[in-house]
Amino acid sequence: AISVNNLAGLYEAQGDHARAEQLFQKALDLRREILGIEHPDYAESLNGLAGLYRATGRLEAALPLYRQVVDINRKVLGEKHPGYAVSLNNLAAAYRSLGEYDKADPLYQQALEIVGGLLDDSFAVLSERQQLAMVRSFRQTLDGYLSMALRPDGDGAQAYASVLTWKGTVFSRQRQTKLAAAQPELAPLLAELRETTGRLATLAFAVPVPEQQQAWRTRLEDLSQEKERLEADLARRSEAFRKSSQRVTPDVVQAALPADVVLVDFLEYDRVLSGSQSEAGTQTERHLAAFVVRRGSPVAALDLGPAAPIQEAIGTWLKTYGNSRAAVAAAGELRRRIWEPLGKHLGSARTVLVSPDGALARFPLAALPGDEAGSYLIETYAIAVIPVPQRLPEMLGGPPAGPAADATLLLVGDVDYDAPQDAPAGEQRSGLGRSAAFRFSRLESTRAEILVVQDSFEQAYQDGEVKKLRGRNATEEQFRETAPQHRFVHLATHGFFAPAPLDALSSPSRDAAAAPADEPHLLADGDLAALHPGLLSALVFAGVNRPPQPGAGDGLLTAEEVASLNLEGMELAVLSACETGLGKLVDAEGALGLQRAFQVAGARSVVATLWKVNDEATSILMQHFYENFWTKKLRKLEALRQAQLWMLREGPDRGMAVVGRSQPATSGRRPPFLWAAFVLSGDWR
């Protein structure tokens, strides 16, 4: 019966529907005779035959079969089983195809509720990677529901309730687990996880000598498995704490938002094409949805159309960062497709919180064309990034920043990347090297940058404490040890996101060079990167250009390692380095990189970059940002916005043209390349 059922599926895939129907019916008859009509295998054959009817447009014939599958699975599997959720989804999809939305809606809602419960229960024993995989496996249900709900007469608030629960669900649970890990009895487990993650990161970027390559790969696999085991154990042992969290609903978010602030939550999803005769996973199109949330107004739910033109326009813009005719045209297209449909829903708000998804995570909306010719959106709106909107009520209800007496600042800059990495006494040499192409040059402007930041801080907080990590003392170990003790952290160093094309270090920007693809390290190991995407992003510390040694740091602090720190007391982390806002893009989770890692670790606000920033321009912009923030007492977002506006309107352009690209316009206004890379994520106040 199994063989016949599988063969029927093969014929269906080949388009031989007549033969497929005959075999599905034969498998159904066999299973009825052998197993009876109250068995999950019998329900499977019913579902296969119903799917064939639906694919060939015979929806009326499919409906009674789908109903029968639902009844069998409810009785045999129970109402909390994933198989029951799938059968509800299939019946809902059939009703949706017939336009019977009033019948489809409750079925979708029930299926999504079951899935939510499964995620809550299963996440207690899964690693982060396994959590991401599980969310992805159920995504079809949400997308099918949105294909129906995002219509002109749909219920925007109800649709957003499902999106709000779904989006960032792994991030949210990671934060809950981190908070639970503060329990004293879990400290040893967290320390072991932190040590394992560090060893994995060190090996991932090392280059072993030829005779040790197999041992190196084996050790990588062992550490990878150990890290996942520790993550799952930590999640399990913090279960009681995580279960106490309540789901956040749209009305809770609306009530938490200030009256002059609006939230725009974006989500890419696979939309089932209207009128499609075959909806079995092929007749879909990637779309971008937006939900506009503000106090006192109904949630606006919009389908902004196909995602492909938006992704293409963003790619065109990023080639020159808005500094070419093609990029200007692309920016106009993005404004037309993304911003203008939102306009009537923003009201009088001038602070916009954006939760991006997909390609939008790489693009600064502040650089879109403004209302006036030649202007930018930043000149009208202050725009902050909120990676996970379901965390907003918690963020806004949290304690205010501590008093001036508690002000502490950690500065990292003027790093000596060639400092020796001495192995502890008694350790053997590692036999590991570093790629010749993977080297970092000293950033001359960072010395002045951290001194200016220190001066600004000391003027604002006369009793504040400052610690500087400079030269050979700016080590990864020192940062790990001291960062949790500081309210403000400013890192002026190299940073990178590995999958992006990385240029050589001949230009004065805060980036890294990529190693040759044939070298046996992380950049050439897609499997390891897929397992642990947080290893693809890193900040660079002293000694990175030296071969890594056992028991010593390797000079690279990856996002995986950052996320293992306890940064609950950190109000602001400024990552004044390249590409710190980028990361591995994951559906409904955003970019899994440094910015996200700092917030998982507990940092309340993070300023990060979307591309390789110019060293001199960054130092100047940071000087104005801190003057606005600490001296003028502006809110974080407004302090950054005013610094960017100054750079846009008055900043110097000597030596700051985009390398290898067209020169800035001669109108006196600086191109977005110089000011738009920095984005503030988290608490904007």
Side-chain angles (χ1 to χ4, degrees), residues 378-664:
I378 193 174
E379 297 179 85
T380 304
Y381 295 94
I383 301 175
V385 171
I386 303 295
V388 183
Q390 63 175 279
R391 309 298 296 179
L392 260 173
E394 175 192 328
M395 178 198 301
L396 295 174
D406 296 331
T408 54
L409 170 65
L410 175 63
L411 293 166
V412 179
D414 191 26
V415 180
D416 182 1
Y417 304 110
D418 294 313
Q421 294 267 16
D422 296 327
E427 291 279 6
Q428 298 294 319
R429 304 297 291 181
S430 68
L432 300 174
R434 187 77 79 190
S435 168
F438 199 76
R439 294 184 61 82
F440 300 84
S441 60
R442 198 149 188 163
L443 295 169
E444 300 299 334
S445 294
T446 60
R447 179 182 181 183
E449 180 177 328
I450 61 173
L451 292 176
V452 167
V453 174
Q454 178 181 356
D455 181 66
S456 180
F457 175 81
E458 290 175 341
Q459 290 186 46
Y461 300 100
Q462 295 183 4
D463 297 326
E465 297 180 2
V466 179
K467 182 175 180 61
K468 292 194 295 292
L469 299 179
R470 294 177 54 181
R472 64 181 299 164
N473 294 321
T475 64
E476 177 187 355
E477 295 90 335
Q478 280 291 308
F479 181 80
R480 287 171 179 268
E481 180 181 337
T482 57
Q485 305 162 20
H486 289 80
R487 177 175 159 191
F488 303 109
V489 170
H490 181 92
L491 291 128
T493 183
H494 286 293
F496 66 87
F497 172 53
L502 301 175
D503 301 327
L505 290 177
S506 57
S507 60
S509 60
R510 303 182 184 190
D511 63 338
D518 58 350
E519 289 191 349
H521 52 70
L522 174 70
L523 303 184
D525 193 335
D527 291 339
L528 185 61
L531 281 174
H532 309 293
L535 293 177
L536 298 174
S537 305
L539 291 165
V540 185
F541 289 85
V544 69
N545 292 338
R546 299 278 184 160
Q549 298 301 323
D554 64 344
L556 292 175
L557 185 69
T558 66
E560 290 277 0
E561 295 172 282
V562 170
S564 70
L565 300 176
N566 180 1
L567 305 179
E568 295 300 329
M570 189 173 292
E571 180 184 344
L572 174 65
V574 176
L575 313 183
S576 184
C578 287
E579 301 180 323
T580 49
L582 299 182
K584 176 71 173 177
L585 294 178
V586 176
D587 281 354
E589 284 290 329
L592 306 189
L594 286 163
Q595 177 176 278
R596 181 183 189 271
F598 269 88
Q599 291 180 307
V600 166
R604 196 171 183 86
S605 308
V606 180
V607 173
T609 60
L610 296 177
W611 54 78
K612 301 185 187 75
V613 291
N614 177 278
D615 193 22
E616 183 181 352
T618 297
S619 296
I620 295 172
L621 190 145
M622 286 294 107
Q623 177 182 345
H624 283 270
F625 166 67
Y626 284 112
E627 180 181 351
N628 293 334
F629 180 43
W630 284 330
T631 305
K632 297 181 180 179
K633 307 300 182 184
L634 298 181
R635 291 184 171 186
K636 299 167 195 167
L637 178 58
E638 189 60 23
L640 179 61
R641 176 175 174 265
Q642 289 299 327
Q644 291 172 308
L645 287 174
W646 182 89
M647 184 67 76
L648 163 65
R649 296 165 177 169
E650 304 177 45
D653 59 3
R654 178 175 54 84
M656 295 189 187
V658 183
V659 177
R661 302 180 175 98
S662 56
Q663 296 294 316

Side-chain angles (χ1 to χ4, degrees), residues 322 366-370 374-380 648 669-672 675:
L368 282 177
S375 69
Y376 294 97
L377 214 57
I378 193 174
E379 297 179 85
T380 304
L648 163 65
R669 295 166 67 82
R670 306 298 174 258
W675 53 265

Side-chain angles (χ1 to χ4, degrees), residues 268 307-331 333-334 338 358-364 368 501 585 610-611 661:
E268 284 192 2
I310 294 171
Q311 295 166 354
E312 182 179 354
I314 289 174
T316 299
W317 191 92
L318 287 173
K319 289 179 180 178
T320 61
Y321 309 102
N323 198 32
S324 67
R325 289 185 178 180
V328 170
E333 179 72 1
L334 289 171
I338 297 174
L360 277 180
R362 300 185 293 127
F363 180 78
L368 282 177
L585 294 178
L610 296 177
W611 54 78
R661 302 180 175 98

Side-chain angles (χ1 to χ4, degrees), residues 79-295:
E79 296 188 359
K80 293 185 178 181
H81 194 279
Y84 181 57
V86 170
S87 62
L88 289 170
N89 172 80
N90 292 343
L91 180 57
Y95 279 127
R96 184 199 65 222
S97 299
L98 288 169
E100 297 185 33
Y101 303 136
D102 57 332
K103 294 180 180 178
D105 188 90
L107 295 170
Y108 272 128
Q109 292 294 329
Q110 188 179 358
L112 289 168
E113 184 65 27
I114 294 170
V115 169
L118 287 168
L119 296 179
D120 286 338
D121 293 339
S122 302
F123 275 19
V125 293
L126 300 180
S127 68
E128 180 182 20
R129 179 192 63 82
Q130 292 167 332
Q131 291 173 1
L132 291 167
M134 187 171 184
V135 169
R136 185 168 59 250
S137 71
F138 286 113
R139 179 60 189 268
Q140 183 181 7
T141 299
L142 177 66
D143 288 355
Y145 169 63
L146 292 178
S147 297
M148 175 194 72
L150 292 179
R151 60 186 196 276
D153 60 339
D155 186 336
Q158 183 172 290
Y160 186 54
S162 298
V163 172
L164 185 63
T165 299
W166 194 277
K167 189 173 181 182
T169 186
V170 174
F171 176 99
S172 181
R173 284 161 175 80
Q174 290 294 309
R175 278 291 298 139
Q176 292 169 10
T177 300
K178 281 302 300 292
L179 291 172
Q183 301 170 79
E185 61 270 23
L186 294 183
L189 182 60
L190 190 60
E192 186 179 0
L193 174 60
R194 187 178 298 120
E195 181 183 353
T196 300
T197 301
R199 285 185 286 153
L200 176 63
T202 297
L203 280 181
F205 281 97
V207 177
V209 295
E211 59 269 24
Q212 292 190 11
Q213 285 188 17
Q214 185 55 50
W216 170 80
R217 291 188 182 278
T218 300
R219 184 59 178 150
L220 271 179
E221 293 174 2
D222 291 344
L223 285 171
S224 179
Q225 293 176 10
E226 178 67 6
K227 177 178 178 291
E228 294 220 327
R229 183 192 67 78
L230 290 168
E231 285 180 341
D233 196 15
L234 185 63
R236 178 182 58 80
R237 293 175 63 180
S238 61
E239 167 76 352
F241 177 90
R242 297 193 311 102
K243 281 293 188 181
S244 66
S245 299
Q246 299 295 316
R247 288 192 184 179
V248 176
T249 58
D251 59 320
V252 173
V253 174
Q254 286 175 307
L257 285 171
D260 59 345
V261 176
V262 63
L263 167 68
V264 181
D265 197 349
F266 292 101
L267 181 76
E268 284 192 2
Y269 75 106
D270 291 327
R271 185 178 182 86
V272 179
L273 298 180
S274 178
S276 170
Q277 290 298 307
S278 175
E279 299 183 4
T282 56
Q283 299 298 310
T284 61
E285 184 178 47
R286 196 72 168 172
H287 273 227
L288 180 66
F291 302 87
V292 185
V293 186
R294 59 190 177 102
R295 182 186 290 184

